[in-house]
Amino acid sequence: MIMQIEEGETVMGFRIRKSISLGKGIRLNLGKNGITSVSFGKRGTPHVTVGKNGTRFGTPVIPGTGISYETRLDKPSRETESQRPVMNRRPIHPATPMRPMPAVNPRQTQVLTPVSVIPPSPVPPMPNGYAGGNGNRGSHKMKKPWYGRWWAILLYVFLAFILLCIVAYATTPNGEIPDMTGQTVAAAKTELNNAGFDNITVKPETKGGDDKWKVESQNPISGEFKTSTPITLTVKRDNSDLADIAKKDMRLDAVITALKHAGYSSSDYVIESDTGKTVDKPSDWIVLSAGDGVIKVHDKAAEEAKAKSEAKAEAAKKKAEEAAKKAEEAAKKAEEEKAAKEQAEQQRAAEEEASRQAQLQAEQQQQVQQQQQQQQQTTSPSDNGSGSLIAICSDGTQAASAPGAPNYRGMCSGHGGIAQKLGRQ
């Protein structure tokens, strides 16, 4: 719907237009003859439109529908006004005052023969869609009525679609949705189809194994609904045959392949190791037991590797023990030889020390005897107590006191004490 008011220099109106977004708030507006203008501003917000008809500022009336109220910002130019199509009409000349005609004498009247006749200028045909204006300013292009516009046609289609939906909903019969919890998917679908419900969604997909999946929950729950109501069944794989597929001592990779062929997914069962370790490589594990959605496995590869490692360690230990025993025997023998050698050296040293002590003792005795002999042979003033006292110290040195000293006190104090007193000399 377009309402235009052209009066003075103010132009404003309501508009509905089709547009193509170029991003960042720039849109191309389309009309019958192609691109009519460019709009700046995001959809649903105030915007400015620049086109051949001028510059307008628009404010959305109903956001999201394209209906907006626009106000003309610039003034229409005289050139634009002059370019409007006008009806081709003859100019209107002002009337010329008529002069009075003189009296004619009937005797002097002559008949004149016309020389030529000037035909009237032809009037060109008017363009389609334009009408005359009785001398008014140019004519306007005729507009379609509002019920023939494109937006009215879209409105008709939309209302017809809404009416069709209402009629379809009103004519759809009601049905009773039963409680299907615990039933197989195949049985649940059959029961729903018999009740008139066909819009059924199963999550997750059963991949054709409806007889091996059971319903855990449903939406909507049981009750009376339209048969066009969508129904969602949340299902879970029935794992009662898990033990028949995952048999004891089977390799885990073979079990996983067999379960996949039987319609199982990885979320339908849990794999647990007997040691609590993470199962990384299925080919290294074997099945111990299966049931209640749990597969117990054992790391066979780790067990074999451990056995090999233990055997190798045992052989290495035995070899090390033998080597240690030989080394111990060799060390014992070397210790015995060393002890015997040390004992012989100690004995030899003891004999040498005994010989040296005996020799030293003999030398000391010989020295004492010599000193005694010298004392006996020499006549000294020892009798009157005026001579010096002579003593042999412990380190073998000889010490003499001051002449006339009454005793040996203080002698050999720095040589380990007195070893022998020789008397006065």
Side-chain angles (χ1 to χ4, degrees), residues 25 36 67 70 78 80 188 197 215 223 264 295-296 325 390 399:
T36 59
I67 303 176
E70 291 189 347
R78 297 293 182 181
T80 303
F197 295 92
V215 179
Y264 279 86
I295 302 176
K296 286 280 188 179
K325 186 177 180 181
I390 305 300

Side-chain angles (χ1 to χ4, degrees), residues 271-290:
I271 299 175
E272 294 182 357
S273 65
D274 56 345
T275 58
K277 294 171 57 179
T278 303
V279 180
D280 295 328
K281 191 176 180 181
S283 59
D284 293 342
W285 298 76
I286 61 173
V287 176
L288 294 178
S289 62

Side-chain angles (χ1 to χ4, degrees), residues 375-392:
Q375 184 179 4
Q376 292 176 2
Q377 293 175 1
T378 303
T379 302
S380 60
S382 58
D383 294 337
N384 55 14
S386 60
S388 298
L389 296 175
I390 305 300
I392 297 176

Side-chain angles (χ1 to χ4, degrees), residues 354-371:
S355 175
R356 189 180 68 80
Q357 291 292 338
Q359 183 178 0
L360 181 60
Q361 188 175 4
E363 290 177 355
Q364 289 179 354
Q365 290 179 357
Q366 184 178 3
Q367 186 177 5
V368 170
Q369 291 177 359
Q370 290 177 357
Q371 291 177 356

